[in-house]
Amino acid sequence: LMSHSYKSPLILTTTNLFFVCSFSIVKFLSSAVAIETIMLFRFLAGPVFLIPFFILTKKPIIIKSYSLFIFRIFFGISAMSCLFLSFKYGQIGKSMLIFECSTIWTLILGYIFYKNKPHYISLLTIPFVFIGLYLVLQPQSMTTFNQGDLFALLGSFFNTGVYITLKQLRYSHDTTTIVLICYFFSALIVSIPAIISPPMISLETIGYLILMCSVGFLGQLGMTLGFKFASAGICSLLMLSIVPLTTLSGILFFGESYQPLVWLGIILIFSCLILISRWQ
């Protein structure tokens, strides 16, 4: 049997490849397909894959905190909408990096509101994160940002809400229940625009959408499984590999390139994220 020390890196690296594949398809489709349609297919994967599992295993659905689920669904829809819009209007690698800054916002909020004092190394990285963000965003003025970068930054704030509500939900709910409920109701909400104005999409596009949501859902399952075999800190480090992988995808498949100062900002933020994930 494979040692646990190898299971987590192998599973989480594969997981990130699934996520990068899914996000790259989103980037590819976003130029021609409405974001709400992409979101609908993404969230439909939850009930399509999990409802049969609940029926076959006769697993009961127990909700212990309706308010937490409402906030989790709100933050989840908002975060993913912003991320996918950032892919549409910006560069996939840079968008992913900015979005991952939710780790830093979560750290700061935990320190302020929950008195969770982080390691001193993590605290020391925070000023460098803001320097890196400035280099990456490179605003022409304090009110003028690249549209894709702005969506990614806004999404990172919403994703902080996802992290906080998810942590609270996991105290009283199992993973499959959380995913099923959140995906089911998110799909209902994002289906409203599709009902009002049905999208005109080809069979080929539907095939890409199904591939996108299926591969993304496999990534969600892999992440859940991978976190079982290693500490949260090590898992967070491994999951950060999605940043260089999406950057590579952007360069290879979408012809993206970066100025030297942006590269410096990317390296600075990524290094800080690694230190925070390691020391927390």
Side-chain angles (χ1 to χ4, degrees):
L1 292 176
M2 188 184 298
S3 168
H4 283 192
S5 61
Y6 293 104
K7 276 186 178 180
S8 185
L10 182 61
I11 292 170
L12 292 179
T13 300
T14 305
T15 290
N16 275 336
L17 290 173
F18 283 142
F19 279 136
V20 171
C21 179
S22 179
F23 289 155
S24 297
I25 296 172
V26 171
K27 170 73 175 173
F28 170 71
L29 292 173
S30 63
S31 60
V33 181
I35 294 299
E36 56 266 27
T37 301
I38 298 174
M39 295 281 291
L40 176 59
F41 273 81
R42 180 188 186 276
F43 286 125
L44 278 174
V48 166
F49 287 116
L50 285 177
I51 286 176
F53 166 76
F54 273 77
I55 292 172
L56 290 172
T57 59
K58 298 180 180 178
K59 182 180 174 62
I61 299 174
I62 301 171
I63 302 175
K64 296 181 181 179
S65 177
Y66 288 91
S67 59
L68 271 178
F69 270 110
I70 290 170
F71 281 115
R72 169 64 182 85
I73 291 165
F74 166 75
F75 286 127
I77 292 175
S78 302
M80 282 299 102
S81 296
C82 288
L83 180 63
F84 289 175
L85 284 166
S86 74
F87 291 162
K88 180 181 177 71
Y89 296 111
Q91 296 169 298
I92 184 172
K94 191 161 64 161
S95 294
M96 199 72 244
L97 176 77
I98 297 169
F99 188 76
E100 287 293 331
C101 285
S102 53
T103 301
I104 288 100
W105 317 144
T106 305
L107 185 83
I108 294 171
L109 286 178
Y111 184 42
I112 295 172
F113 294 108
Y114 298 101
K115 308 303 178 186
N116 296 330
K117 189 174 181 180
H119 195 279
Y120 75 93
I121 291 179
S122 295
L123 285 175
L124 289 174
T125 64
I126 292 174
F128 295 100
V129 169
F130 286 102
I131 294 171
L133 267 177
Y134 182 82
L135 294 174
V136 168
L137 296 172
Q138 291 191 13
Q140 296 173 359
S141 69
M142 290 305 293
T143 56
T144 307
F145 293 88
N146 174 277
Q147 192 174 5
D149 295 347
L150 192 59
F151 274 122
L153 186 61
L154 183 61
S156 74
F157 296 136
F158 283 124
N159 202 42
T160 301
V162 170
Y163 285 158
I164 293 171
T165 52
L166 186 57
K167 183 176 180 180
Q168 295 300 316
L169 280 169
R170 280 184 170 170
Y171 289 131
S172 52
H173 300 81
D174 64 273
T175 301
T176 52
T177 299
I178 294 171
V179 172
L180 175 60
I181 292 171
C182 291
Y183 272 51
F184 178 80
F185 285 102
S186 295
L188 285 180
I189 292 167
V190 299
S191 68
I192 294 172
I195 294 170
I196 296 172
S197 180
M200 300 294 292
I201 50 179
S202 65
L203 285 175
E204 182 183 6
T205 300
I206 291 173
Y208 277 117
L209 286 166
I210 291 173
L211 178 62
M212 176 273 298
C213 67
S214 300
V215 171
F217 189 74
L218 286 174
Q220 290 287 344
L221 292 179
M223 184 172 66
T224 303
L225 180 63
F227 271 63
K228 179 181 178 181
F229 299 111
S231 67
I234 297 300
C235 290
S236 298
L237 279 173
L238 292 167
M239 288 304 295
L240 280 177
S241 64
I242 195 171
V243 175
L245 287 172
T246 48
T247 302
L248 185 63
S249 172
I251 293 169
L252 292 178
F253 301 114
F254 303 104
E256 296 177 357
S257 60
Y258 301 103
Q259 298 173 349
L261 279 178
V262 175
W263 274 117
L264 179 60
I266 288 172
I267 293 168
L268 195 55
I269 295 173
F270 187 60
S271 300
C272 290
L273 287 171
I274 288 174
L275 289 171
I276 289 171
S277 296
R278 172 64 182 86
W279 300 103
Q280 299 190 28

